């Protein structure tokens, strides 16, 4: 690790990184997707998935305190002596993070190209530029820049809050269904399923547990309060941006919905401010996710659950092979994938992961066990809805995910038995 | 008790969510792209006031701009072979909309169970879920200022075609508007050209199946609707809006 990460992270920085990890890219692309599904109940979708996220943050933080080390779900399962499940879940997580990075690169390309009046080729070129640029920065050992990230997160949140307040000050309920068909309240469950990935970012902090100052005292309240804050931000932005642009405009221009809302509110100045916020937020989210995913891959390779090829560092101490492989795959997906498919495939991966972590919390905790139980039930319902939605509307991405899951849970042990690993499984 | 609180909460929440609108009017044109219907009749009623109006729209025709009090409106469409299930859209103040009615008049009107499931799970972006039945799609038409580029989009409501690609020929060459599958929309192309010739081809082909000249006032928002095909001809219906004047082209 490099930069300023030698010093321990205080609660304010942890809070900012957790909130920023969630808001970093999610809201920029999720809003149009969720309004298309839940219409005027989009805000409720953010609340439903937010309840799962807040409880999951609580479970992650408490389990991290219990086991006392970095590593998140992988480490929890390892300490429970469930090494095979830990290995399979970690492979699935790497897939989820790769999809998430591709969503952020997709958002970066669209927001910046819109401000520059660029077309499809510029969008793709920008996605490639940010993908390869951040691979390069990571390889040079500047992948983790917590101070810079905190500044970006703060600016990003400030701009989003201003947009939300501006929109809410012009409240007109009809904007929530402007040009669209009103839907029944239970459509909010489908919406919650579609955009769950918007909340995944907080768990990256569990990989930095060793770097957090006094975590036994601060980690639970800091992680949970940041998740609650993000739920409020998402609800406020969902309502505020819709007031400024109208629901149908947000759906039609979902790739750049917040830029359209900001432009409607404050003209060119609004567009410039939102583009800068989106560009920095998505870039920072790509950077931190790529860094953390590569470190995770290196760690599990070190434990013999990925081929030892992944357990390699360059002269800057960076796990270079995972950085390059994950970065290239994510960039490729950003260029070829459709927004909804990427978002929803990633959502499914994280719903499964969070459900597993809440099951662990339910089993391993001595008190408050009903709290993760609620999240398990909610995740199960939302997950089933998402699978049904994908089966009906996007069977190909679902089939690919299913094949990948079979590969991860069935073929992975056979592959690891045949290739060189650090000690074997 | 819980149920009572729940109902009270819902009663309080809904008016707040769907609360009173601003003073401006919403602006709507309805476009008849139904194949096989010489005319359609559209009835639209405001859900808050119950006020209704009926519109008769000839084939490949569009209404004048209707200035509507902001509300959720309930629509039903009667065509040569039946009447659609009612559907609703919100009309917000100071927005311009185009409502395309499309499909094949002779197609079965009743929605299948799978189509309903697909629609519920898929949301507003799922189109043509039940073959070519008569359906509807709302689009925004947001003209900019006169000194801004004009914006062009193409909507493919041509029953039975493969994806269509649209382009605009100007003195300086051809610029692509984009490619759209059935019930899809491509674009926008933003341009400062004052005029051009629009051509539409099947995707991947050089065969022009429809073309039309087009004036492009600065800041105008234009939707090119491709319709027809069952009689072997693709037709183009143009809806163009400009900032201070909105009239059918």
């Amino acid at each position: 690790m490099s930069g300023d990460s030698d010093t321990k992270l205080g609660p304010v920085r942890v809070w900012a990184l957790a909130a920023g990890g969630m808001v970093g890219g999610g809201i920029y692309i999720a809003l149009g997707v969720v309004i298309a599904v839940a219409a005027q109940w989009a805000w409720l979708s953010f609340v439903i998935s937010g309840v799962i996220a807040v409880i999951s943050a609580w479970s992650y933080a408490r389990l991290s305190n219990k086991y006392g080390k970095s590593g998140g779900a992988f480490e929890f399962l390892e300490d429970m002596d469930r090494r095979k499940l830990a290995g399979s879940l970690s492979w699935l997580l790497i897939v989820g993070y790769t999809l998430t990075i591709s969503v952020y690169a997709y958002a970066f390309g669209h927001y910046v190209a819109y401000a520059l009046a660029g077309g499809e080729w510029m969008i793709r070129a920008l996605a490639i530029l940010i993908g390869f640029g951040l691979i390069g920065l990571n390889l040079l050992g500047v992948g983790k820049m917590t101070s810079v990230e905190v500044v970006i997160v703060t600016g990003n949140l400030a701009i989003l809050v201003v947009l939300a307040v501006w929109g809410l000050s012009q409240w007109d309920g009809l904007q929530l269904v402007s040009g669209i068909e009103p839907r029944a309240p239970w459509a909010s469950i489908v919406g919650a399923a579609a955009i769950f990935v918007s909340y995944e970012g907080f768990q990256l902090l569990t990989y930095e547990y060793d770097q957090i100052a006094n975590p036994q005292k601060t980690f639970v309240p800091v992680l949970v309060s940041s998740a609650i804050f993000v739920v409020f931000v998402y609800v406020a932005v969902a309502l505020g941006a819709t007031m400024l642009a109208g629901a149908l405009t947000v759906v039609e221009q979902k790739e750049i919905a917040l830029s359209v809302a900001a432009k409607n509110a404050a003209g060119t100045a609004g567009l410039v401010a939102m583009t800068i916020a989106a560009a920095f937020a998505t870039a920072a989210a790509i950077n931190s996710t790529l860094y953390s995913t590569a470190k995770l891959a290196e760690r599990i390779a070190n434990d013999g659950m990925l081929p030892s090829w992944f357990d390699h560092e360059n002269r800057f101490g960076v796990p270079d092979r995972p950085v390059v492989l994950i970065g290239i795959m994510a960039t490729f997906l950003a260029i070829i994938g459709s927004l909804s498919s990427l978002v929803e495939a990633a959502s499914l991966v994280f719903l499964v992961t969070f459900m597993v972590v809440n099951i662990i919390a339910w089993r391993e905790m001595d008190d408050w066990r009903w709290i993760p139980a609620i999240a398990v039930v909610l995740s199960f319902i939302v997950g089933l809805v998402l699978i049904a939605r994908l089966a009906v509307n996007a069977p190909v991405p679902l089939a690919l995910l299913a094949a990948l899951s079979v590969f991860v849970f069935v073929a992975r042990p056979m592959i690891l038995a045949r290739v060189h690993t650090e000690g074997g499984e | 008790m819980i149920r009572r609180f729940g109902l009270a909460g819902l009663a309080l929440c809904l008016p707040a969510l769907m609360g009173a609108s601003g003073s401006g009017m919403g602006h709507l044109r309805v476009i008849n792209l139904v194949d096989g219907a010489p005319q359609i009749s559209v009835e639209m009623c405001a859900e808050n006031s119950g006020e209704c109006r009926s519109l008769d729209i000839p084939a490949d025709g569009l209404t004048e701009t209707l200035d509507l009090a902001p509300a959720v409106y309930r629509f039903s469409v009667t065509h040569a072979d039946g009447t659609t299930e009612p559907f609703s859209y919100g009309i917000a103040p100071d927005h311009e909309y185009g409502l395309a009615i499309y499909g094949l008049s002779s197609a079965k009107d009743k929605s299948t169970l799978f189509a309903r499931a697909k629609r519920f799970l898929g949301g507003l972006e799922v189109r043509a879920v039940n073959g070519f039945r008569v359906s509807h799609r709302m689009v925004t038409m947001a003209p900019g200022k006169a000194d801004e580029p004009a914006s062009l989009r193409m909507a493919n409501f041509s029953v039975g075609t493969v994806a269509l690609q649209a382009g605009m020929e100007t003195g300086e060459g051809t610029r692509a508007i984009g490619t759209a599958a059935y019930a899809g929309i491509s674009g926008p192309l933003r341009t400062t050209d004052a005029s051009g010739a629009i051509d539409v081809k099947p995707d991947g082909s050089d065969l022009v199946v429809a073309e039309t000249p087009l004036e492009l006032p600065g800041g105008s928002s234009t939707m090119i609707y491709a319709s027809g095909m069952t009689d072997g001809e693709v037709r183009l219906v143009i809806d163009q809006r400009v900032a201070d004047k909105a009239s059918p082209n």
Side-chain angles (χ1 to χ4, degrees):
Chain A
M1 214 184 288
S2 66
D4 53 9
S5 57
D6 291 340
T7 54
K8 292 273 184 180
L9 297 169
V12 174
R13 291 169 84 189
V14 172
W15 191 93
L17 289 170
M22 286 179 264
V23 179
I27 190 67
Y28 289 99
I29 39 79
L31 188 55
V33 173
V34 70
I35 290 179
V37 175
Q40 76 272 34
W41 301 102
W43 64 273
L44 188 55
S45 298
F46 281 114
V47 173
I48 293 169
S49 48
V51 168
I52 301 173
V54 169
I55 295 176
S56 302
W58 182 84
S59 295
Y60 263 101
R62 289 200 75 191
L63 288 168
S64 295
N65 281 344
K66 177 181 168 72
Y67 295 112
K69 52 186 164 183
S70 303
F74 172 74
E75 204 63 58
F76 306 153
L77 287 166
E78 274 230 319
D79 275 34
M80 291 169 67
D81 214 17
R82 304 295 293 267
R83 281 176 53 81
K84 282 188 177 172
L85 184 58
S88 298
L89 193 70
S90 59
W91 277 42
L92 208 57
L93 262 177
I94 290 171
V95 172
Y97 287 131
T98 306
L99 286 166
T100 309
I101 294 168
S102 72
V103 170
Y104 297 157
Y106 183 100
F108 179 91
H110 277 82
Y111 272 86
V112 177
Y114 177 68
L116 300 175
E120 281 297 317
W121 284 108
M122 187 186 283
I123 292 168
R124 291 194 176 97
L126 285 164
I128 292 170
L129 186 72
I130 196 68
F132 281 75
L134 290 173
I135 289 171
L137 276 180
N138 266 275
L139 291 177
L140 291 172
V142 287
K144 199 65 190 167
M145 302 176 288
T146 48
S147 296
V148 177
E149 279 178 48
V150 169
V151 172
I152 291 172
V153 163
T154 308
N156 177 32
L157 285 174
I159 287 174
L160 287 177
V161 169
V162 167
L163 179 84
V165 171
W166 199 322
L168 290 171
S169 72
Q170 300 177 36
W171 181 264
D172 176 355
L174 263 176
Q175 297 289 357
L176 297 176
V177 289
S178 169
I180 64 172
E181 298 176 71
R183 307 204 84 194
W186 45 84
S188 58
I189 299 172
V190 189
I195 47 83
F196 189 74
V197 68
S198 308
Y199 285 105
E200 66 80 27
F202 72 83
Q203 55 166 337
L204 294 181
L205 264 296
T206 63
Y207 304 138
E208 307 292 331
Y209 186 83
D210 294 342
Q211 301 295 319
I212 294 170
N214 199 8
Q216 291 287 341
K217 187 178 174 189
T218 62
F219 200 37
V220 172
V222 165
L223 212 58
V224 171
S225 63
S226 70
I228 292 171
F229 173 78
V230 169
V231 176
F232 279 104
V233 169
Y234 282 176
V235 169
V237 171
L239 293 170
T242 310
M243 291 304 116
L244 295 169
L248 181 55
T249 304
V250 172
V251 173
E252 283 183 343
Q253 305 195 53
K254 59 180 178 292
E255 294 87 355
I256 44 151
L258 295 191
S259 276
V260 174
K263 192 179 175 188
N264 284 359
T268 306
L271 173 63
V272 170
M274 188 51 70
T275 305
I276 291 170
F280 276 98
T282 49
I286 294 169
N287 195 47
S288 58
T289 311
L290 181 59
Y291 175 84
S292 296
T293 312
K295 292 294 277 186
L296 177 68
E298 182 191 29
R299 186 189 192 94
I300 60 179
N302 189 254
D303 272 17
M305 295 191 204
L306 264 180
S308 58
W309 182 85
F310 286 90
D311 187 13
H312 184 272
E313 292 187 348
N314 68 8
R315 62 193 169 98
F316 299 106
V318 175
D320 49 356
R321 290 170 181 170
V323 163
V324 172
L325 185 64
I326 292 164
I328 287 176
M329 282 172 60
T331 306
F332 179 69
L333 283 171
I335 295 167
I336 62 157
S338 78
L339 177 61
S340 291
S341 301
L342 291 174
V343 170
E344 291 175 34
S347 289
L348 190 55
V349 170
F350 288 109
L351 265 170
V352 170
T353 306
F354 283 16
M355 191 163 77
V356 169
V357 168
N358 281 304
I359 290 171
I360 297 171
W362 176 71
R363 284 183 48 157
E364 298 293 310
M365 291 289 131
D366 298 325
D367 54 2
W368 301 99
R369 295 172 68 224
W370 57 273
I371 294 179
I374 291 173
V376 171
V377 172
L378 278 175
S379 307
F380 183 74
I381 294 168
V382 172
L384 278 185
V385 169
L386 182 53
I387 289 170
R389 173 174 156 78
L390 286 168
V392 168
N393 292 297
V396 174
L398 180 65
L400 286 174
L401 261 186
L404 205 62
S405 300
V406 170
F407 175 79
V408 161
F409 285 95
V410 179
R412 186 189 63 85
M414 289 188 271
I415 292 171
L416 290 182
R418 289 169 188 272
V419 299
H420 178 66
T421 60
E422 305 284 346
E425 201 174 314
Chain B
M1 181 66 95
I2 291 171
R3 182 181 159 84
R4 195 177 295 167
F5 274 117
L7 288 173
L10 194 65
L12 288 170
C13 197
L14 275 179
L17 281 175
M18 308 303 295
S21 297
S23 55
M25 303 290 267
H27 310 288
L28 172 72
R29 286 181 189 163
V30 186
I31 304 104
N32 173 12
L33 305 166
V34 177
D35 212 344
Q39 175 178 292
I40 61 170
S41 295
V42 178
E43 184 174 76
M44 50 185 295
C45 299
E47 289 191 351
N48 55 357
S49 67
E51 193 177 318
C52 295
R53 68 166 83 186
S54 292
L55 311 162
D56 292 327
I57 313 169
D60 298 326
L62 62 168
T63 63
E64 290 291 325
T65 302
L66 308 171
D67 296 324
L68 301 172
V72 174
Y73 284 82
R74 196 159 181 79
F75 297 81
S76 70
V77 178
T78 302
H79 52 91
D81 295 276
T83 301
T84 62
E85 291 168 17
F87 54 91
S88 299
Y89 280 106
I91 302 290
D94 306 320
H95 282 257
E96 298 216 17
Y97 308 96
L99 175 59
I101 310 296
Y102 65 95
L104 188 61
S105 182
S106 58
K108 194 175 90 172
D109 248 333
K110 193 169 171 55
S111 181
T112 62
L113 186 64
F114 181 72
R116 285 174 189 274
K118 193 172 166 90
R119 185 113 177 97
F120 175 71
L121 291 165
L124 307 170
E125 293 179 297
V126 174
R127 307 284 162 191
V129 293
N130 201 7
F132 296 122
R133 68 192 285 255
V134 174
S135 193
H136 49 89
R137 179 164 186 176
M138 188 77 92
V139 294
T140 54
M141 302 292 291
K145 294 173 186 157
D147 58 352
E148 291 179 343
S151 161
L152 276 126
R153 288 174 291 169
M154 188 270 290
N156 176 7
F157 293 119
S158 179
V159 174
T161 56
V162 295
L164 294 176
Q165 55 172 319
M168 186 177 74
E169 184 89 33
T170 67
E172 295 170 5
T174 302
R175 297 185 64 190
I177 297 171
T179 303
Y182 178 64
I185 294 175
S186 67
L189 168 67
R190 292 192 172 82
T191 177
T192 51
D193 292 310
S195 64
I198 304 299
D199 60 46
V200 173
K201 307 168 186 169
D203 188 24
S205 164
D206 289 330
L207 176 70
V208 175
V209 292
E211 55 190 333
T212 185
L214 190 63
E215 298 294 320
L216 292 166
S220 60
S221 173
T222 303
M223 181 67 84
I224 303 153
Y225 293 101
S227 70
M229 192 60 185
T230 52
D231 57 0
E233 181 192 1
V234 174
R235 296 179 291 277
L236 302 180
V237 179
I238 308 293
D239 181 10
Q240 187 174 79
R241 320 277 178 106
V242 292
D244 52 351
K245 188 178 78 172
S247 59
N249 206 8

